[in-house]
Amino acid sequence: MKQSADRDPDRLMRAILSRAPVGIAVIDHGGRYISVNPAYAEIYGYSTEDMLGKSFLMVFPEEARAAVLARHQSFLDHGGNLGGEWAVVRRDGTSLTVWSNSVSFPSGRGKPDRLVYVLDITEHKKAQEQERIAATVYQTTSEAILVVDAERRIIAVNPAFTRLTGWSFAEIEGRSPDMFRSDRHDDAFYDEIRRTLEAEGYWAGELWDQRKSGEYYLRETTVTVVKDALDKVKNVVVVFSDITARKSAEDIIRWQANYDSVTGLPNRHMFTDKLAEGAHRATETGQTMALLMIDLDRFKEINDTLGHSVGDRLLAKVAARLQECERPGDTIARIGGDEFALILNGVTDIAEIEAVARGVLKCFEAPVTIDYEQMFVTASIGISLYPGDTHSLEELFRNADQALYAAKGFGRNCLHFFTPALQRAASLRMRLANDLRQAIAERQFVVHYQPVVDLRSGRIVKAEALVRWQHPTRGLVSPATFIPLAEETGLIVPLGDWVARQAIAEVARCRALHDPDFQMAINQSPTQFRNAAFSGLGWVAELARHGLTGAAICLEITEGMLLNAEPQVMSNLIAFRDAGIEIAIDDFGTGYSSLAYLRRFDIDTLKVDRSFVSELDGAGLDICEAIIVMAHRLGLQVVAEGVETATQRDVLTSIGCDYAQGYLFAPALPPAAFEAMLAQQGRTDETGAGHRAASAE
């Protein structure tokens, strides 16, 4: 009797295999596919037709095929287990991991066939690997991890948590994370974290915590809410790290970037930001912002005499006093060296600004004591207004600086408001500085010579070389104007060198024509002396070129130059001394005088400042006499400057002064007029000698 097609077992089995979600194949003893269901072919990227009759080794890497075939045949011949995980290759070359199991059954062809079941577990293996990596990270990361369940009970921590907090899992399991709350934060802080987590499911920030030891530390924290498929809270994961040391280092760097290390005041960087903020506020409110530039008077002399350490301590004390003048909302900053700036915000009139500025000057009236030594310090102040003087912060700063320059020019220890006249003066200085460069190239300078008289004989035995600038359009420019400009621009080096060469040539003529012992004094700028481009050896060579010894010239320097005897200064001084050139201290008594350096540097001459000579009818007499007595005891000669009357000459002669110069004898003269004066003196000497000879006969 014929069976119904629906009940044909072979047909039914084929239908089941074709629809089975599991890959199923039959492989003969030789390794060829006898049967392959669609799921099996799909796993490897083939069609069933592509695989039937082909070797099952087609899905294995080349290097593994021999071993796989041997295991296949051994399984069919001897039994055993051929299940497990296999590394295979899809048709497109993609690597897969499959799990398979096999059974053998008679084939009717003499040797058994193998029925194999295959599952693609590639994604499962990847997930396992990810879980393994996550577990490794969880155990080895340096960040602490705390896991809380839906009831806010601690259910897990990693080793880093224990290292960082000191708490083991056994000590805190099942407890609330509220146990870690710090009293450095109030309830409102933690309430805000809770609200953020409820609304967004995530919070990140910094908070203070305590270790088991009680030590506070700052941690960088992220809190993430984990929900299940029903959107219910399943866990809360807290990840954090200790950033106390990092934040401390950042705070130090931030402080160093914005504050001055000597005074603790805001530095130029922060000052610039505060100035911009003040200008914005002034624009919005319609009020005025004032900038006060404050510069300590003669601070360099303190550094030179007492050292930079004392200078820094003085700056710190000055800063403390200035802070006492600082109103709420104002900013006092140190912007460099001995220069401070005070920003006054919200001022309404000039009187208010002036009152604050005079308060600043007043705070310098009391002496500053450092190491039991009292120092009197004064300051000069330049003031500019925003927006009254300018709408540009760069110009505001420049205006205040120009006003400060004017305050210095008015004698220091005073204040000066910016005016358009100051702007014009600054522009003039800038143009003169530019003209100065051209003047050196075009030889617009001339050297004049002021006679120095021997008070015992009344004869001119020396002269001082003084440079003059004959500007082509401005006429004769005062040295008080262009010498500071030359020092600021560095042009003093070539200018001073040119003056010295002119003076050496002139003294050579004077010795040859008038007096073989004549000496020329040459002023030496401190800036020139300290400049690396200057060398005293050039002057020595110039003397030799004219057949002169070092005794032909005398170098005039200031006291301040010796007080800070840098290596470059020492080198040039030694070169001059070795060449036999005399050294004179100009304007002696007006700075920080020291007897020690007179001996140390083998000084030859002291020049008494004209301010003492002008007061010979008062206190100046005692000062001049004291200087002369001291100098003679030390074996030094004395020259008095600024002698304008016969009375001054006679008084100086009576107290033993050696030499004098000033308008009583002659102003600084051009070379021709000066040499004519020497020639006249020579003729007078000859006439006098003739009269003396006739009288003797």
Side-chain angles (χ1 to χ4, degrees):
M1 183 174 157
K2 194 172 182 181
Q3 288 183 320
S4 168
D6 293 338
R7 297 188 178 184
D8 182 351
D10 292 339
R11 186 174 181 181
L12 182 61
M13 181 59 66
R14 285 194 298 274
I16 292 172
L17 290 177
S18 67
R19 290 172 174 79
V22 179
I24 302 173
V26 177
I27 305 171
D28 68 12
H29 189 278
R32 289 183 300 276
Y33 286 116
I34 303 300
S35 175
V36 175
N37 78 338
Y40 186 95
E42 185 179 355
I43 289 173
Y44 296 105
Y46 294 94
S47 67
T48 55
E49 291 77 11
D50 291 335
M51 303 188 83
L52 289 174
K54 305 287 180 61
S55 172
F56 83 103
L57 297 177
M58 65 190 292
V59 301
F60 287 94
E62 183 74 34
E63 65 274 10
R65 290 176 180 177
V68 170
L69 179 62
R71 287 189 63 189
H72 162 74
Q73 293 177 341
S74 175
F75 170 74
L76 292 177
D77 293 340
H78 307 294
N81 180 25
L82 198 60
E85 295 180 2
W86 300 84
V88 296
V89 182
R90 281 175 57 87
R91 185 176 193 172
D92 61 7
T94 305
S95 297
L96 299 177
T97 301
V98 298
W99 178 89
S100 72
N101 200 6
S102 299
V103 294
S104 64
F105 64 92
S107 66
R109 294 184 298 276
K111 291 189 176 183
D113 293 335
R114 177 165 66 94
L115 179 67
V116 57
Y117 305 88
V118 176
L119 289 174
D120 182 357
I121 61 170
T122 305
E123 294 304 318
H124 175 70
K125 290 294 290 183
K126 288 181 179 178
Q128 282 186 327
E129 179 65 14
Q130 291 299 317
E131 289 177 3
R132 185 191 67 78
I133 293 172
T136 301
V137 171
Y138 179 81
Q139 293 295 324
T140 61
T141 182
S142 61
E143 292 185 303
I145 301 175
L146 171 75
V147 183
V148 180
D149 66 12
E151 283 71 41
R152 291 180 51 77
R153 294 182 301 237
I154 298 172
I155 60 172
V157 298
N158 70 341
F161 176 92
T162 300
R163 289 195 302 271
L164 196 152
T165 67
W167 293 98
S168 68
F169 178 59
E171 293 173 307
I172 62 173
E173 183 181 8
R175 298 176 66 178
S176 169
D178 290 345
M179 65 180 288
F180 303 116
R181 283 194 176 193
S182 164
D183 56 13
R184 293 197 177 188
H185 302 293
D186 57 18
D187 290 341
F189 176 80
Y190 292 104
D191 288 343
E192 180 60 28
I193 294 177
R194 178 180 55 78
R195 283 192 293 270
T196 302
L197 289 174
E198 289 174 353
E200 303 176 15
Y202 179 82
W203 180 87
E206 298 174 0
L207 57 83
W208 285 96
D209 209 339
Q210 279 183 286
R211 306 187 205 277
K212 183 180 179 182
S213 64
E215 176 192 0
Y216 285 98
Y217 69 101
L218 184 65
R219 72 186 209 191
E220 188 173 58
T221 306
T222 61
V223 184
T224 305
V225 177
V226 180
K227 296 184 178 182
D228 61 17
L230 299 177
D231 202 34
K232 300 291 185 181
V233 175
K234 182 179 181 182
N235 297 113
V236 177
V237 180
V238 183
V239 181
F240 59 93
S241 57
D242 182 355
I243 60 171
T244 311
R246 190 190 82 195
K247 292 294 289 187
S248 177
E250 289 175 355
D251 289 343
I252 291 173
I253 293 171
R254 190 178 301 109
W255 192 91
Q256 290 174 339
N258 292 285
Y259 291 89
D260 173 56
S261 60
V262 174
T263 64
L265 295 177
N267 60 12
R268 180 182 284 268
H269 178 265
M270 180 177 279
F271 160 78
T272 302
D273 292 342
K274 292 292 185 181
L275 194 65
E277 290 174 11
H280 180 70
R281 191 180 305 119
T283 301
E284 285 191 332
T285 62
Q287 294 180 313
T288 294
M289 176 183 71
L291 173 60
L292 280 64
M293 298 293 291
I294 305 164
D295 189 80
L296 303 187
D297 298 328
R298 304 187 188 279
F299 178 74
K300 185 179 184 305
E301 295 177 0
I302 294 174
N303 262 346
D304 291 343
T305 53
L306 302 177
H308 290 277
S309 175
V310 172
D312 286 349
R313 292 164 65 188
L314 174 62
L315 289 172
K317 288 182 176 287
V318 165
R321 291 189 182 185
L322 289 174
Q323 285 178 300
E324 296 174 3
C325 305
E326 188 178 14
R327 309 172 310 164
D330 294 342
T331 299
I332 180 71
R334 182 189 179 205
I335 58 175
D338 59 347
E339 197 167 31
F340 298 84
L342 175 58
I343 302 171
L344 303 183
N345 290 305
V347 292
T348 55
D349 55 46
I350 297 296
E352 183 181 359
I353 300 169
E354 185 171 350
V356 173
R358 294 203 179 280
V360 171
L361 293 177
K362 188 174 180 60
C363 81
F364 288 95
E365 290 181 355
V368 178
T369 302
I370 297 179
D371 293 339
Y372 307 104
E373 183 165 352
Q374 286 191 334
M375 286 171 278
F376 287 89
V377 184
T378 61
S380 301
I381 303 176
I383 307 170
S384 185
L385 310 181
Y386 179 97
D389 293 332
T390 179
H391 286 81
S392 164
L393 294 184
E394 185 176 343
E395 284 187 9
L396 180 74
F397 192 88
R398 190 163 55 244
N399 292 348
D401 206 42
Q402 290 169 7
L404 174 62
Y405 186 89
K408 293 282 189 183
F410 274 94
R412 299 181 173 86
N413 192 25
C414 65
L415 60 92
H416 202 290
F417 282 86
F418 170 79
T419 64
L422 291 180
Q423 178 65 47
R424 290 192 294 271
S427 298
L428 175 61
R429 285 200 308 275
M430 184 179 69
R431 288 194 296 270
L432 280 176
N434 293 333
D435 290 348
L436 192 60
R437 299 179 185 275
Q438 187 175 354
I440 293 176
E442 296 180 358
R443 302 294 174 90
Q444 296 175 8
F445 294 97
V446 294
V447 180
H448 289 184
Y449 304 94
Q450 184 171 37
V452 177
V453 174
D454 184 335
L455 289 176
R456 289 182 295 272
S457 66
R459 297 184 71 256
I460 301 171
V461 294
K462 304 172 185 282
E464 181 179 359
L466 299 167
V467 65
R468 299 290 185 262
W469 182 7
Q470 189 63 51
H471 194 282
T473 60
R474 303 179 194 277
L476 204 60
V477 180
S478 168
T481 299
F482 72 80
I483 292 297
L485 284 175
E487 290 179 331
E488 290 173 15
T489 58
L491 294 173
I492 193 66
V493 175
L495 176 59
D497 189 63
W498 179 82
V499 170
R501 293 178 186 278
Q502 298 299 307
I504 290 171
E506 181 63 25
V507 74
R509 286 194 298 273
C510 291
R511 284 195 164 204
L513 299 175
H514 306 291
D515 183 350
D517 297 320
F518 198 83
Q519 187 182 65
M520 185 68 70
I522 303 172
N523 285 287
Q524 181 72 57
S525 163
T527 304
Q528 181 183 6
F529 216 76
R530 294 189 179 103
N531 194 291
F534 173 76
S535 172
L537 296 176
W539 291 14
V540 174
E542 187 68 11
L543 286 168
R545 192 172 72 84
H546 286 278
L548 301 174
T549 65
I553 64 173
C554 175
L555 188 69
E556 291 192 5
I557 60 177
T558 61
E559 295 171 286
M561 188 186 299
L562 297 181
L563 294 174
N564 188 22
E566 304 157 8
Q568 182 70 22
V569 172
M570 290 297 298
S571 175
N572 286 320
L573 277 175
I574 290 170
F576 286 132
R577 294 303 323 183
D578 289 348
I581 297 172
E582 293 186 4
I583 307 293
I585 303 298
D586 200 10
D587 301 330
F588 183 78
T590 59
Y592 285 84
S593 303
S594 169
L595 301 182
Y597 68 63
L598 297 180
R599 281 301 190 192
R600 178 184 175 192
F601 296 103
D602 199 14
I603 303 302
D604 299 285
T605 303
L606 301 182
K607 298 194 74 173
V608 179
D609 188 67
R610 63 181 65 248
S611 62
F612 301 135
V613 173
S614 65
E615 295 182 355
L616 280 175
D617 55 350
L621 176 60
D622 293 333
I623 295 174
C624 288
E625 189 169 15
I627 292 174
I628 292 167
V629 171
M630 177 199 68
H632 288 170
R633 289 289 179 85
L634 294 174
L636 310 181
Q637 295 182 321
V638 180
V639 178
E641 297 181 292
V643 178
E644 297 182 353
T645 68
T647 301
Q648 291 172 344
R649 176 199 61 198
D650 295 342
V651 171
L652 289 167
T653 303
S654 69
I655 60 177
C657 186
D658 302 298
Y659 304 97
Q661 66 184 96
Y663 277 31
L664 174 65
F665 309 107
L669 301 169
F674 174 69
E675 290 186 31
M677 194 173 184
L678 288 182
Q680 178 60 40
Q681 176 177 269
R683 289 192 292 272
T684 302
D685 290 344
E686 291 174 1
T687 302
H691 288 317
R692 287 192 296 274
S695 298
E697 293 176 357

